[in-house]
Amino acid sequence: MKKPLLLFLLVFSCGFIKAQVQKAPAYPLITHNTYFSIWSFNDTLNAAPTKHWTGKDQSLLGFIKVDGDVYRFMGKEPVIYKTILPASDEVPWECKYTETAPANGWALPQFNDDSWATGTAPFTDDKTQAKTLWTTKDIWVRRTFTLDNTNIDRLFLKLYHDDNVDVYLNGEKIFSNIGWTSDFELIPIKDEVKKKLKAGDNILAIHCANTAGAAWLDVGLVDMVKQKPNANIKLAKQTSVEMNATQTKYKFRCGKADLLLTFTSPLLLTDMDVFTRPISYITCKVRSNDGGRHNIKVSIGASSNIAVNKPFQEVGAEMFLSGKLSILKAGTIEQPVLKKKGDDLRIDWGYMNMAVLKSENAVQYISHSNEASDPFPSRVINNTDTIKGKGLYLNTILSFGAVGRSFTENHIELGYDDIFSVQYFDIQLKPWWEAEGTKMEKVLSRAELEYPLVMRKCDVFNRSMYQDAVKAGGDHYAKLCVLAYRQSIAAHILCKSPHGDILFLSKENFSNGSINTVDVTYPSAPLYLLYNPRFMEGMLNGIFFYSESGKWKKGFAAHDLGTYPIATGQTYGEDMPVEESGNMLILTDAIVKAEKKPDYAKAHWETLTTWANYLVKAGLDPANQLCTDDFAGHLAHNANLSIKAIEGIACYAKMAEQLGKGPEAVRYRNIAVAMAGKWMKMADAGNHYSLVFGNKNTWSQKYNLVWDKVLGLHLFPQQVSDKEVRYYLTKQKKYGLPLDSRKTYTKSDWILWTASLSNSMYHFKALTEPVYKYTIETPSRVPLSDWHETTTGKQVGFQARSVVGGYFMKMLVSKWAR
């Protein structure tokens, strides 16, 4: 609701003098879970369209009208594509194909392909998605199509290929690439090639070679429609941006008015009631900056692409009233609930919602993407019928009236109802907030009612988190924690199991798309142990159930529960037995410490015992296997992995003692102590400890050692950590400490753990400053990547992952290791 904010200018100014974060690789705007996650990949909010964390456009548009002048402050008008030749994501298409090398001239229009087979796209080895199964090395495709009109503005090849591809249009090669894509890419076609298209029959001929891994081929043609820009819309000048734990704030000068724009995703780990609502607020505060009074309106539009996986999917949108709210709602016509699984995917079921108080007399309407250049239409037609189309926009115009020097405020809500969030073995689970049958309209209403209270709660949390982080590791460390907070949380979904247990399930973003990966949970843990160990339970409960139900039959912990959002059992192709068993034991003990009672361990004691016994047998000198750093390959005699096993056994002993199991506690404690003593001899390489036992010319970050300090295990003397840290300081690069002696890339979450080994604040900052430098200088403008090259600051892989919750390790050490 509108309020004169007499003291706000002073508060706002002070806030920006002591800004928390002013530079990020990408800026979180709407962040709740892996599907409802919208970011700005630019320092300036109106430089480009806003995006889903995967990089696909999920457009938010913002305009302000000051008297008669209109300024764009958010996003960019969408590019409109018109389909010339549909790919299979729009319409199934048939063609001729062969998997045997054809004769010369196979790409020419006159070639006789009568002996070729007829198939339907996509061609792939994925049996769950293939219309035509392709399992050989090579495939040749000829697709004939007819054009009635060749009046095309700008032609693009729409191509999804895995692997190497050559594409011909009417016999002329128009594209060639060695490599693969993980989705459709739009490839511009030169005008001279476009002229090869003719009215009547045309042919696309394609050769694709699968050199390794998956196979895929699908193709279409699209036209980028030429649009006439609205010369009357000016660009607002962004004067600042600031991030804190729950908010991203922008300040704009819009001619004779100032605009303060705040995105709030109230992910308060300490307040489950607020946390569980999939509702973000967009708050606008406006004032005159020239002493006069000006009539001000703000228009905010949200693309229905927020509710689709592919922009060519048809959606339906409607407007309705509910209680005190006016609500816009959109979702796909198809509603394929939980029908897709994988990494680079967006949700295409459920409904996005935009809500505003009816009493504010805001104008809400639905538009098509080609109407984005008219954000303040003179006439709006509202009806209760469902509007269908592609790339629709939900729009809300907030009217502030005549505004003077004092700030005036209004806001809207954006929410998402995903209906069902995950499939958990044989049951589809609703999101936590909907588990008891609560409707989205009720959640929106309560979020609106409690808006002032939620803003105050966020302010208190933002300040206290930052202050605690500064106290633990300094100002730049606190900024790293701010960058990590919303990203880590929004890589999870919160549900309730059929047995009533909390499930906080991660997605392994831009890795392999696994759900509830144990070695993703492990690095993420410090954030949740610090603020609410119940979430930590939610990260382990599914893995315990998998073992205790008998569905997982091996004598060590599973790697994952499936491929997001389908949690029906491990899909990762190889086990990590020492890694995951050690992770589960350590994290269970951490929960016991956080909750100050052993109840959680008691509930899973038999399973924990099985895993501890496995580590006793196989943990000291691990066989050739993968660990959490699986991208680095298999490694035998892994000294850092051995530490995890030793600590896992010690954690089991500590929990046994708390459960009154004295003999067991003594036995396993003695085993862990003996193993630690052996480790120090086996890994000793003089001035450091080796990457692998037996090779003194290797080294690695021993980040697993940190639990010895955090959990008070007292297995390794402080001198071990001190020796390692001194050695690490000789190996640093411009943007951080490499992971180990094999490569110069690193994992920033592990650096924060490694730096926390030292009791010296000087050494901690020496190791973490390059990580901070990476976050403000990286050329990779994506949600924070935890895997980067230390020499260039470029992303190697991964983005938007939960593991940056590990940045909070220093805060956890400061709280627990006293």
Side-chain angles (χ1 to χ4, degrees):
M1 66 189 75
K2 288 181 279 188
K3 297 177 184 175
L5 304 175
L6 300 178
L7 298 178
F8 178 79
L9 181 59
L10 176 61
V11 174
F12 179 84
S13 300
C14 292
F16 265 78
I17 291 171
K18 299 179 181 179
Q20 293 193 8
V21 171
Q22 293 177 298
K23 174 74 173 176
Y27 300 83
L29 305 177
I30 309 293
T31 46
H32 288 275
N33 55 61
T34 186
Y35 285 139
F36 194 32
S37 182
I38 307 172
W39 298 66
S40 170
F41 283 35
N42 298 82
D43 293 324
T44 306
L45 184 60
N46 55 12
T50 57
K51 300 177 183 293
H52 185 256
W53 67 261
T54 56
K56 298 296 190 295
D57 287 358
Q58 289 194 338
S59 176
L60 297 174
L61 285 172
F63 301 88
I64 182 171
K65 188 174 185 180
V66 183
D67 298 326
D69 295 324
V70 178
Y71 301 83
R72 174 167 53 83
F73 60 83
M74 176 167 62
K76 202 170 185 179
E77 289 86 346
V79 175
I80 299 174
Y81 294 99
K82 176 183 174 183
T83 298
I84 303 298
L85 182 66
S88 71
D89 61 340
E90 293 184 75
V91 178
W93 55 268
E94 286 189 349
C95 66
K96 291 287 192 173
Y97 77 97
T98 181
E99 295 172 86
T100 303
N104 292 337
W106 66 273
L108 296 174
Q110 64 270 26
F111 182 82
N112 187 344
D113 57 19
D114 288 348
S115 63
W116 290 23
T118 299
T120 304
F123 297 84
T124 175
D125 61 349
D126 183 344
K127 295 180 181 179
T128 65
Q129 300 189 66
K131 289 291 192 295
T132 302
L133 193 64
W134 168 35
T135 59
T136 59
K137 180 181 177 183
D138 293 275
I139 192 167
W140 290 262
V141 167
R142 287 171 55 86
R143 183 181 183 187
T144 302
F145 60 99
T146 302
L147 286 183
D148 297 324
N149 183 2
T150 59
N151 184 21
I152 296 170
D153 290 325
R154 190 176 180 194
L155 184 66
F156 281 78
L157 180 68
K158 179 182 174 182
L159 184 62
Y160 184 172
H161 67 94
D162 189 353
D163 296 298
N164 307 342
V165 70
D166 294 299
V167 183
Y168 301 80
L169 175 61
N170 291 334
E172 181 174 328
K173 185 183 283 190
I174 62 171
F175 181 72
S176 182
N177 187 49
I178 295 175
W180 69 91
T181 64
S182 58
D183 200 348
F184 285 104
E185 291 191 356
L186 296 182
I187 301 151
I189 301 301
K190 295 178 181 178
D191 284 342
E192 55 265 31
V193 175
K194 183 178 71 174
K195 294 175 183 177
K196 296 289 182 181
L197 285 172
K198 57 187 180 181
D201 290 340
N202 297 267
I203 188 164
L204 271 178
I206 309 157
H207 171 221
C208 191
N210 179 30
T211 58
W216 197 287
L217 180 61
D218 199 353
V219 68
L221 294 171
V222 298
D223 178 17
M224 180 191 286
V225 179
K226 187 181 295 183
Q227 299 178 78
K228 186 177 180 181
N230 188 337
N232 295 320
I233 297 179
K234 305 172 185 178
L235 205 60
K237 182 181 179 181
Q238 181 179 309
T239 57
S240 62
V241 58
E242 175 191 357
M243 282 173 58
N244 56 47
T246 64
Q247 296 172 316
T248 301
K249 301 180 179 182
Y250 294 91
K251 186 175 182 180
F252 296 92
R253 179 161 286 252
C254 314
K256 297 175 182 179
D258 290 336
L259 167 67
L260 310 182
L261 182 72
T262 301
F263 296 86
T264 304
S265 295
L267 301 178
L268 300 172
L269 288 169
T270 53
D271 189 327
M272 282 285 285
D273 188 43
V274 173
F275 179 94
T276 56
R277 302 172 194 161
I279 309 294
S280 282
Y281 305 99
I282 302 179
T283 304
C284 303
K285 298 168 183 175
V286 296
R287 70 165 187 178
S288 166
N289 60 33
D290 69 348
R293 297 185 70 82
H294 301 286
N295 195 310
I296 297 176
K297 295 181 179 180
V298 170
S299 172
I300 295 175
S303 170
S304 63
N305 284 351
I306 293 169
V308 305
N309 180 44
K310 306 283 187 182
F312 297 97
Q313 290 178 275
E314 188 176 23
V315 299
E318 60 179 318
M319 184 176 74
F320 61 97
L321 303 177
S322 178
K324 296 181 179 180
L325 296 179
S326 175
I327 302 174
L328 296 168
K329 175 179 175 180
T332 60
I333 300 298
E334 182 186 5
Q335 288 295 304
V337 178
L338 296 171
K339 295 299 184 184
K340 298 179 180 69
K341 63 179 181 179
D343 188 6
D344 188 5
L345 294 175
R346 290 136 301 277
I347 195 168
D348 58 2
W349 69 89
Y351 299 91
M352 58 181 289
N353 292 260
M354 177 184 281
V356 67
L357 277 172
K358 288 188 296 186
S359 60
E360 296 301 328
N361 296 314
V363 175
Q364 287 197 305
Y365 66 101
I366 300 161
S367 65
H368 291 83
S369 56
N370 59 2
E371 299 170 308
S373 60
D374 185 18
F376 298 97
S378 56
R379 183 168 175 263
V380 173
I381 300 175
N382 289 326
N383 58 58
T384 57
D385 296 334
T386 297
I387 297 175
K388 296 181 181 180
K390 300 172 184 176
L392 302 178
Y393 273 80
L394 308 185
N395 306 283
T396 298
I397 298 175
L398 303 172
S399 181
F400 294 86
V403 178
R405 294 182 179 182
S406 298
F407 277 102
T408 302
E409 172 187 342
N410 208 338
H411 66 271
I412 66 167
E413 298 176 283
L414 277 184
Y416 204 99
D417 179 2
D418 53 1
I419 305 174
F420 291 100
S421 298
V422 299
Q423 182 172 330
Y424 187 67
F425 297 98
D426 57 349
I427 297 175
Q428 291 184 343
L429 298 184
K430 293 179 179 292
W432 182 277
W433 63 268
E434 200 175 2
E436 305 302 326
T438 306
K439 299 299 182 184
M440 173 56 75
E441 293 81 3
K442 183 176 180 180
V443 177
L444 286 164
S445 294
R446 188 171 179 194
E448 175 59 46
L449 178 66
E450 296 183 3
Y451 171 78
L453 175 62
V454 171
M455 291 298 107
R456 289 196 295 272
K457 287 182 175 181
C458 286
D459 184 61
V460 170
F461 180 81
N462 297 336
R463 292 174 184 273
S464 65
M465 194 204 86
Y466 194 78
Q467 290 167 359
D468 290 345
V470 169
K471 185 177 179 181
D475 184 62
H476 285 176
Y477 170 68
K479 293 180 189 299
L480 290 173
C481 291
V482 169
L483 289 172
Y485 186 81
R486 272 176 285 169
Q487 173 171 314
S488 180
I489 294 170
H492 297 84
I493 187 70
L494 184 66
C495 298
K496 186 177 292 186
S497 82
H499 304 98
D501 296 322
I502 183 173
L503 294 172
F504 193 50
L505 305 173
S506 65
K507 179 176 181 180
E508 200 168 338
N509 289 345
F510 262 33
S511 177
N512 63 1
S514 290
I515 186 169
N516 204 195
T517 302
V518 178
D519 58 282
V520 166
T521 293
Y522 177 69
S524 307
L527 170 59
Y528 307 98
L529 290 169
L530 194 62
Y531 288 107
N532 192 338
R534 194 176 177 197
F535 286 96
M536 195 72 249
E537 289 186 22
M539 298 159 84
L540 303 192
N541 282 338
I543 299 295
F544 276 123
F545 172 77
Y546 191 21
S547 284
E548 292 162 0
S549 65
K551 299 177 187 297
W552 176 257
K553 301 181 185 302
K554 299 180 182 181
F556 46 79
H559 171 271
D560 62 79
L561 289 185
T563 302
Y564 199 95
I566 309 301
T568 53
Q570 179 173 311
T571 52
Y572 190 74
E574 189 170 345
D575 298 325
M576 297 185 189
V578 173
E579 172 71 37
E580 312 304 15
S581 299
N583 291 340
M584 291 296 291
L585 283 157
I586 290 168
L587 295 178
T588 301
D589 188 36
I591 290 171
V592 168
K593 183 177 178 68
E595 294 178 346
K596 299 179 181 178
K597 57 183 180 181
D599 298 22
Y600 191 71
K602 183 178 181 180
H604 304 291
W605 192 248
E606 184 177 345
T607 305
L608 293 169
T609 301
T610 299
W611 294 341
N613 287 333
Y614 176 81
L615 294 181
V616 171
K617 295 175 184 176
L620 176 60
D621 189 3
N624 191 35
Q625 61 188 270
L626 294 173
C627 69
T628 183
D629 305 315
D630 53 354
F631 51 84
H634 294 76
L635 192 65
H637 318 299
N638 185 334
N640 189 47
L641 186 57
S642 176
I643 292 171
K644 181 172 291 183
I646 297 167
E647 290 176 334
I649 295 166
C651 287
Y652 179 82
K654 190 153 74 78
M655 291 184 285
E657 183 178 14
Q658 290 177 275
L659 288 168
K661 300 177 183 292
E664 282 184 78
V666 171
R667 176 174 171 243
Y668 285 91
R669 174 67 188 178
N670 288 340
I671 291 172
V673 169
M675 290 172 72
K678 292 177 182 178
W679 184 95
M680 286 183 278
K681 294 177 181 178
M682 294 164 64
D684 188 13
N687 62 349
H688 70 284
Y689 294 93
S690 59
L691 164 67
V692 294
F693 299 135
N695 189 344
K696 295 184 178 183
N697 295 319
T698 63
W699 66 271
S700 65
Q701 292 188 43
K702 306 301 187 302
Y703 51 82
N704 288 323
L705 265 176
V706 75
W707 293 108
D708 196 47
K709 177 187 291 189
V710 173
L711 297 176
L713 302 177
H714 306 299
L715 296 167
F716 300 90
Q718 182 62 37
Q719 295 94 305
V720 173
S721 294
D722 293 343
K723 181 195 284 191
E724 282 290 276
V725 168
R726 285 194 298 270
Y727 187 78
Y728 298 151
L729 292 172
T730 70
K731 297 296 181 180
Q732 288 224 98
K733 306 295 183 185
K734 182 177 181 180
Y735 295 109
L737 176 68
L739 181 64
D740 57 46
S741 52
R742 291 174 290 180
K743 301 281 187 179
T744 55
Y745 57 55
T746 196
K747 291 282 274 81
S748 56
D749 48 338
W750 295 147
I751 292 179
L752 271 294
W753 288 34
T754 296
S756 300
L757 296 176
S758 177
N759 291 328
S760 163
M761 183 59 70
Y762 174 82
H763 287 160
F764 174 81
K765 289 185 175 181
L767 287 168
T768 56
E769 280 297 313
V771 177
Y772 175 71
K773 185 179 181 70
Y774 152 69
T775 66
I776 62 174
E777 294 184 4
T778 178
S780 303
R781 304 309 302 272
V782 297
L784 186 59
S785 171
D786 54 286
W787 182 17
H788 73 270
E789 178 53 60
T790 61
T791 57
T792 64
K794 290 183 179 179
Q795 172 192 27
V796 177
F798 306 157
Q799 66 191 52
R801 299 208 313 161
S802 70
V803 301
V804 294
Y807 286 12
F808 287 78
M809 180 57 87
K810 181 62 174 177
M811 291 178 69
L812 190 65
V813 169
S814 297
K815 181 178 180 180
W816 284 7
R818 294 174 178 171

